[in-house]
């Protein structure tokens, strides 16, 4: 009888027969896995189960063995009374005098283990043993047996059967990968522990290195059995996934460089870029530029083979934007070349990424694309992109802050200062309401106004400098912890040659006094505070003592300046004019 008809007939019988109780393990000579453990069915198994419930027409489109296995899965999944004799009949029907079929027994074993709902390892092992009896060299039987003992936490037997599977099929790469998965089970968490606290968990570090070496040895065995095996590529992946140090990253990158290009998949290019990125924190200066250049070359190589891969394009956009940020403020002809290369590539990757309309594209990608446009002097296009980004319903406060700040800078670069001023005001208002306003938003705003003033003339220049001063003072009121700095910056603005404090209502004196009052009672001044106190003291001293000749008002500033500098000239002033014993 045609095997498709047999499978379909048994399938129909399965749907109407009553259910039976769960099946327990029977005693065998060999130690069997625990029966009470819940079955672990992965997504792939679930997908197979779903496909097995399709119409008979679907069954009839595949070969006889696979049709019979689908029938067995359906029978077993409905837990029929005395189901095993039916399964045995199907398996025996696949055997002939001229050939044997261990595949059907392994399929039946897998059905009893994963499709029965009770993880029936008794029948699963029985049918695996039957497959091995028919063909002692049938690798999938040993592999499935290893899976069962792994599930039962009997690692010794699991390892033995995985190794046996590799021995029986040394050219079947799947067997090596299955064994690698077994060795690497749970190693992600161990690696996280090993990396945490700078490798303080020595036990975790050693375990990662030991198990990684085991996996390398398995890949080496695969390479020895078949020279075409992609040993370098697979080992490079290990160093990406389980790397603990910069040396591990260097080793992984070297392995990728040595790997056959045809063996590389899209994820391998992203993996190599990740390891290059990890090296950035270990180098300085031109070495960083060399690493960014290697990232760019890796992206370009990957895009030749995978021109629309999201991860390669997104990685390229991200890293080339960061590379441009590294050099954009650097002087020199060599840096001009780097600026052009990095900004051009960032925009290229961004445009290609947006053109894919990939569902993985996220807010960070869109933000970087807007920045890439601005970095290539397409400020208005970048503004349009960022404004659309901020209109998205899932935008977060941090991205809003970055986008609005970039828009402000774009308007400043375009010389559209009125728009820039309005944008900064909106930025401060929005972020203050969200609780994410920072002092840098005020300093950036004031810097923009100072730039505008430098490009202006006459009263417009004076008015714009005054705006910058007021922005600093607003920032000081909003962020008291930074107030001395901000009042000091305001003082410097007011001391500009265009704003003589005698002709502009002593503007510099007001912020100088505020900075002085905030710092005067400190016993010691270090770093920036020392610089600030010296400058504001001199400003006030010079104004009251030298210019205004208001000696009583000047006394405290002369004394404080002497305490700061120990200058003999100020000691004389204190002794002679103020009759102090210095």
């Amino acid at each position: 009888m045609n095997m498709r008809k047999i499978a379909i007939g048994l399938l129909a019988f399965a749907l109407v027969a009553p259910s039976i109780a769960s099946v327990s393990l029977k005693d065998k000579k060999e130690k069997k896995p625990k029966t009470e453990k819940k079955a672990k069915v992965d997504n792939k198994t679930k997908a197979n189960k779903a496909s097995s419930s399709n119409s008979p027409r679907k069954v009839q489109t595949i070969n006889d063995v696979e049709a019979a296995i689908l029938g067995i899965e359906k029978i077993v999944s409905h837990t029929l009374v005395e189901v095993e004799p039916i399964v045995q009949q199907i398996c025996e029907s696949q055997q002939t005098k001229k050939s044997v079929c261990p595949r059907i027994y392994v399929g039946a074993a897998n059905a009893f283990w994963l499709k029965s709902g009770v993880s029936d390892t008794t029948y699963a092992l029985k049918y695996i043993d039957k497959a091995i009896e028919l063909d002692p060299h049938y690798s999938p039987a040993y592999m499935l047996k290893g899976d069962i003992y792994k599930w039962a936490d009997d690692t010794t037997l699991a390892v033995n059967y995985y190794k046996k599977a590799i021995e029986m099929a040394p050219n079947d790469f799947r067997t090596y990968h299955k064994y690698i998965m077994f060795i690497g089970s749970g190693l992600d968490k161990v690696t996280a522990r090993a990396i945490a606290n700078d490798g303080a968990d020595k036990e975790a570090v050693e375990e990662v290195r030991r198990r990684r070496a085991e996996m390398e040895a398995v890949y080496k065995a695969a390479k020895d059995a078949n020279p075409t095996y992609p040993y370098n590529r697979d080992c490079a992946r290990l160093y990406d996934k389980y790397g603990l140090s910069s040396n591990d990253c260097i080793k992984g990158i070297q392995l990728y460089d040595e790997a056959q290009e045809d063996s590389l998949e899209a994820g391998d290019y992203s993996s190599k870029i990740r390891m290059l990125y990890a090296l950035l924190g270990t180098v300085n200066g031109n070495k960083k530029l060399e690493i960014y250049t290697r990232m760019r070359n890796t992206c370009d190589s990957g895009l030749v083979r995978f021109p629309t891969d999201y991860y390669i394009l997104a990685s390229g956009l991200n890293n080339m934007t960061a590379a441009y940020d590294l050099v954009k403020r650097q002087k020199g002809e060599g840096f001009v070349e780097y600026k052009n290369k990095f900004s051009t590539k960032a925009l290229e990757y961004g445009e290609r990424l947006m053109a894919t309309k990939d569902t993985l594209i996220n807010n960070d990608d869109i933000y970087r694309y807007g920045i890439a446009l601005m970095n290539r002097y397409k400020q208005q296009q970048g503004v349009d992109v960022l404004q659309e980004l901020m209109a998205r319903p899932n935008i977060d406060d941090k991205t809003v802050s970055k986008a609005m700040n970039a828009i402000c800078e774009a308007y400043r670069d375009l010389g559209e200062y009125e728009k820039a001023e309005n944008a900064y005001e909106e930025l401060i208002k929005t972020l203050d309401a969200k609780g994410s306003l920072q002092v840098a938003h005020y300093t950036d705003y004031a810097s923009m106004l100072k730039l505008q003033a430098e490009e202006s003339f006459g009263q417009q220049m004076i008015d714009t400098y005054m705006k910058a001063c007021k922005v600093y003072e607003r920032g000081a009121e909003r962020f008291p912890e930074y107030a001395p700095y901000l009042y000091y910056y305001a003082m410097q603005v007011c001391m500009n040659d265009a704003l003589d404090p005698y002709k502009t209502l002593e503007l510099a004196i007001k912020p100088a006094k505020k900075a002085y009052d905030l710092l005067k009672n400190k016993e010691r001044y270090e770093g920036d505070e020392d610089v600030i106190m010296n400058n504001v003291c001199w400003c006030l001293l010079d104004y009251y003592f030298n210019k205004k000749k208001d000696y009583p008002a000047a006394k405290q500033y002369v004394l404080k300046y002497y305490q700061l500098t120990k200058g003999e000239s100020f000691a004389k002033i204190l002794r002679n004019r103020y009759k102090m014993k210095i």
Side-chain angles (χ1 to χ4, degrees):
M1 181 182 294
N2 187 293
M3 280 309 304
R4 294 186 182 89
K5 293 181 179 179
I6 292 174
I8 295 169
L10 291 169
L11 188 59
F13 173 72
L15 295 174
V16 298
S19 62
I20 60 171
S22 300
V23 183
S24 60
L25 281 171
K26 297 179 180 179
D27 293 332
K28 295 177 73 75
K29 292 181 181 179
E30 191 173 47
K31 180 183 175 184
K32 300 305 176 187
K34 300 175 183 178
T35 58
E36 64 272 12
K37 198 161 188 179
K38 185 177 179 182
K40 302 174 183 179
V41 184
D42 59 15
N43 292 333
K44 183 175 180 182
T45 305
K46 292 178 181 177
N48 290 339
K49 184 171 181 178
S51 65
S52 70
S53 63
N54 289 338
S55 65
R57 181 177 301 175
K58 176 74 175 282
V59 176
Q60 291 173 350
T61 63
I62 53 182
N63 63 48
D64 289 347
V65 174
E66 297 306 318
I69 291 173
L70 287 176
I72 290 171
E73 289 178 353
K74 180 60 66 174
I75 294 169
V76 171
S77 67
H78 285 77
T79 58
L80 302 181
V81 174
E82 296 298 330
V83 69
E84 197 269 337
I86 303 171
V87 173
Q88 185 174 354
Q89 180 183 353
I90 296 174
C91 293
E92 290 175 352
S93 68
Q94 289 293 317
Q95 317 306 317
T96 68
K97 292 182 180 180
K98 295 183 179 180
S99 64
V100 294
C101 182
R103 168 74 183 97
I104 189 70
Y105 285 98
V106 171
N110 190 69
F112 278 114
W113 181 38
L114 294 179
K115 303 291 184 177
S116 66
V118 293
S119 302
D120 186 344
T121 55
T122 300
Y123 281 130
L125 293 171
K126 171 183 175 180
Y127 279 83
I128 290 173
D129 291 341
K130 182 62 177 179
I132 294 173
E133 180 184 334
L134 289 172
D135 185 355
H137 299 282
Y138 191 59
S139 174
Y142 299 104
M143 188 58 65
L144 182 57
K145 206 166 187 179
D147 288 345
I148 292 174
Y149 283 102
K150 173 189 172 184
W151 170 81
D153 295 329
D154 192 333
T155 56
T156 301
L157 282 176
V159 168
N160 291 340
Y161 284 117
Y162 284 135
K163 289 182 176 180
K164 188 69 173 180
I166 291 173
E167 179 186 344
M168 294 298 102
N171 292 320
D172 187 348
F173 295 166
R174 293 172 300 178
T175 59
Y176 297 97
H177 290 148
K178 198 70 176 255
Y179 187 29
I180 288 291
M181 289 174 61
F182 170 75
I183 297 173
S185 178
L187 192 54
D188 289 345
K189 294 181 179 179
V190 180
T191 303
R193 289 199 344 255
I195 294 173
N197 302 318
D198 297 325
D201 190 338
K202 301 300 182 183
E203 183 179 346
V205 170
E206 290 304 315
E207 182 177 354
V208 171
R209 290 174 176 168
R210 176 183 59 78
R211 289 167 69 176
R212 190 176 65 197
E214 286 183 34
M215 289 186 273
E216 286 187 83
V218 174
Y219 287 142
K220 180 64 167 58
K223 179 73 172 177
D224 291 341
N226 190 330
T228 65
Y229 186 82
Y231 169 80
N232 291 328
R233 180 203 69 185
D234 284 357
C235 286
R237 291 175 178 176
L238 292 180
Y239 281 93
D240 175 39
K241 193 172 183 180
Y242 306 119
L244 302 177
S245 65
S246 58
N247 288 334
D248 288 343
C249 291
I250 293 170
K251 178 65 174 178
I253 293 165
Q254 178 185 347
L255 287 164
Y256 270 130
D257 289 339
E258 295 171 353
Q260 291 292 326
E261 186 174 355
D262 290 344
S263 72
L264 298 180
E265 299 174 359
D268 294 312
Y269 293 95
S270 300
S271 172
K272 183 177 178 181
I273 293 168
R274 270 196 306 275
M275 287 188 284
L276 285 165
Y277 180 83
L279 294 179
L280 285 172
T282 66
V283 298
N284 295 305
N286 290 335
K287 289 294 184 180
K288 285 185 182 289
L289 298 180
E290 291 176 10
I291 290 174
Y292 277 122
T293 299
R294 291 190 68 183
M295 288 183 186
R296 182 197 65 194
N297 294 339
T298 303
C299 284
D300 287 344
S301 298
L303 291 172
V304 170
R305 302 183 62 226
F306 307 98
T308 61
D309 182 76
Y310 165 79
Y311 294 101
I312 298 176
L313 288 168
S315 178
L317 171 60
N318 180 21
N319 289 300
M320 290 304 99
T321 301
Y324 177 79
D325 287 342
L326 178 67
V327 299
K328 68 179 178 181
R329 292 186 176 86
Q330 302 295 325
K331 306 295 184 181
E333 294 183 4
F335 286 111
V336 171
E337 182 180 356
Y338 277 115
K339 291 175 191 177
N340 289 332
K341 285 182 178 179
F342 292 147
S343 61
T344 300
K345 274 297 177 184
L347 183 55
E348 176 191 333
Y349 297 143
E351 289 177 337
R352 292 177 65 173
L353 177 60
M354 296 304 136
T356 65
K357 300 186 183 300
D358 198 302
T359 56
L360 292 172
I361 294 173
N362 56 48
N363 291 339
D364 285 340
D365 298 325
I366 299 172
Y367 168 76
R368 294 188 187 104
Y369 174 50
I371 297 301
L373 285 164
M374 294 175 180
N375 290 343
R376 288 307 300 165
Y377 317 111
K378 298 182 179 182
Q379 276 82 1
Q380 189 56 57
Q381 289 175 254
V383 167
D384 293 341
V385 168
L386 295 183
Q387 286 178 335
E388 290 180 10
L389 169 64
M390 289 190 293
R392 290 165 68 95
N394 63 339
I395 193 76
D396 61 272
D397 291 348
K398 184 178 179 180
T399 305
V400 169
S401 173
K402 293 191 301 181
M404 292 184 74
N405 200 60
I407 289 172
C408 294
E409 292 182 1
Y411 283 134
R412 181 196 66 191
D413 293 341
L414 289 170
E416 297 185 20
Y417 292 113
E418 184 176 352
K419 288 184 178 180
E421 190 174 342
N422 292 336
Y424 272 116
E425 289 291 347
E426 182 64 25
L427 172 66
I428 289 172
K429 179 181 177 181
T430 300
L431 297 182
D432 199 16
K434 293 177 176 292
S436 54
L437 184 64
Q438 298 179 13
V439 68
H441 296 118
Y442 284 101
T443 57
D444 288 344
Y445 185 7
S447 296
M448 183 275 294
L449 290 168
K450 288 192 293 183
L451 181 62
Q452 180 186 0
E454 291 169 4
E455 297 178 359
S456 305
F457 301 94
Q459 190 61 42
Q460 182 183 3
M461 176 178 63
I462 294 173
D463 292 343
T464 307
Y465 274 126
M466 291 296 298
K467 285 183 180 179
C469 179
K470 289 179 180 178
V471 168
Y472 281 130
E473 290 178 339
R474 285 168 56 190
E477 293 172 3
R478 178 64 179 77
F479 293 96
E481 65 271 31
Y482 294 103
Y485 298 86
L486 295 168
Y487 285 128
Y488 171 64
Y489 298 151
M491 181 197 81
Q492 288 183 313
V493 170
C494 294
M495 292 179 69
N496 190 288
D497 291 340
L499 296 171
D500 188 329
Y502 304 110
K503 297 179 182 179
T504 53
L505 303 177
E506 304 169 341
L507 290 174
I509 302 308
K510 178 183 174 183
K513 279 185 176 180
K514 289 187 175 182
Y516 177 85
D517 288 342
L518 289 168
L519 295 175
K520 65 181 181 180
N521 294 324
K522 298 195 69 169
E523 294 182 0
R524 295 183 61 186
Y525 302 97
E526 296 179 354
D528 292 337
E529 288 185 348
D530 183 57
V531 174
I532 292 172
M533 200 58 180
N534 269 274
N535 279 277
V536 297
C537 265
W538 173 253
C539 174
L540 293 166
L541 181 157
D542 185 48
Y543 178 72
Y544 285 106
F545 191 90
N546 296 328
K547 305 299 189 300
K548 296 284 286 185
K549 308 299 182 183
D550 186 346
Y551 300 122
K555 181 178 180 180
Q556 62 174 317
Y557 306 122
V558 176
L559 176 59
K560 177 60 74 171
Y561 200 75
Y562 166 73
Q563 291 171 342
L564 291 169
T565 64
K566 303 300 181 182
E568 182 57 31
S569 61
F570 297 101
K572 290 179 180 179
I573 293 173
L574 292 171
R575 285 193 294 263
N576 297 334
R577 178 165 293 282
Y578 297 109
K579 310 303 179 182
M580 297 180 67
K581 296 181 180 180
I582 299 299

